[in-house]
Amino acid sequence: MRLPRILTPRLVARAHCDLPCGVYDPAQARIEAESIKAIDEKYAANTDPEFRTRALIIKEQRSELVKHHLWVLWTDYFKPPHFEKYPQLHQLFNEATKLAGGGGGTKATTDASKADELLQKIDEIAKIFWETKQA
């Protein structure tokens, strides 16, 4: 049986979670950041122009995914009591998302040390995240 046309949705919205699901983990951002570092290393070791172009495209996509996963944690998981207990949290997220972005971040460079910096920030966020999960 088909729905009458008037009942058919005109717009389908997508989000991280419509419930919200409550499933959050900084590991998602970390996996993408590890991929960025590996791509930077492979980029440096390869001179093939087609390979390098593909590597840059994929690395930029991964950088966007890192930012997305961090933003979901920052805006959906962490609540005011967390920011009160961990006053450095806003700064950590700001620095981490900038490290995953354009102006000097992993999206704009092939320097693997930037990916290392990003991984360090994600690890700091993860430490706080797991402390809040145990509380």
Side-chain angles (χ1 to χ4, degrees):
M1 177 178 167
R2 290 187 58 161
L3 289 175
R5 186 173 205 166
I6 195 154
L7 297 176
T8 304
R10 293 183 194 177
L11 179 67
V12 176
R14 299 200 184 348
H16 165 74
C17 191
D18 293 329
L19 290 177
C21 63
V23 177
Y24 301 99
D25 195 326
Q28 294 172 304
R30 188 169 215 305
I31 289 167
E32 300 301 346
E34 287 174 4
S35 177
I36 292 165
K37 182 177 179 184
I39 290 169
D40 285 341
E41 291 167 349
K42 289 180 180 195
Y43 179 92
N46 195 314
T47 59
D48 176 56
E50 285 85 16
F51 175 87
R52 290 182 128 208
T53 299
R54 281 183 37 239
L56 292 176
I57 291 167
I58 294 167
K59 184 177 68 70
E60 288 184 7
Q61 292 169 342
R62 298 295 177 245
S63 292
E64 282 299 316
L65 286 170
V66 169
K67 290 189 330 186
H68 168 77
H69 292 306
L70 289 173
W71 284 332
V72 167
L73 284 172
W74 193 2
T75 60
D76 294 356
Y77 173 76
F78 285 104
K79 305 291 183 232
H82 299 133
F83 293 109
E84 290 170 17
K85 185 172 182 181
Y86 302 95
Q88 75 278 28
L89 202 48
H90 280 303
Q91 185 67 28
L92 275 174
F93 273 108
N94 183 270
E95 291 169 358
T97 55
K98 288 194 182 306
L99 279 167
T106 59
K107 195 172 178 181
T109 184
T110 57
D111 181 358
S113 70
K114 281 293 178 193
D116 283 329
E117 288 179 48
L118 176 57
L119 284 163
Q120 284 180 317
K121 294 294 180 190
I122 292 170
D123 286 346
E124 290 178 54
I125 292 166
K127 182 178 183 290
I128 294 169
F129 172 83
W130 288 111
E131 286 175 11
T132 66
K133 291 292 273 189
Q134 293 175 354

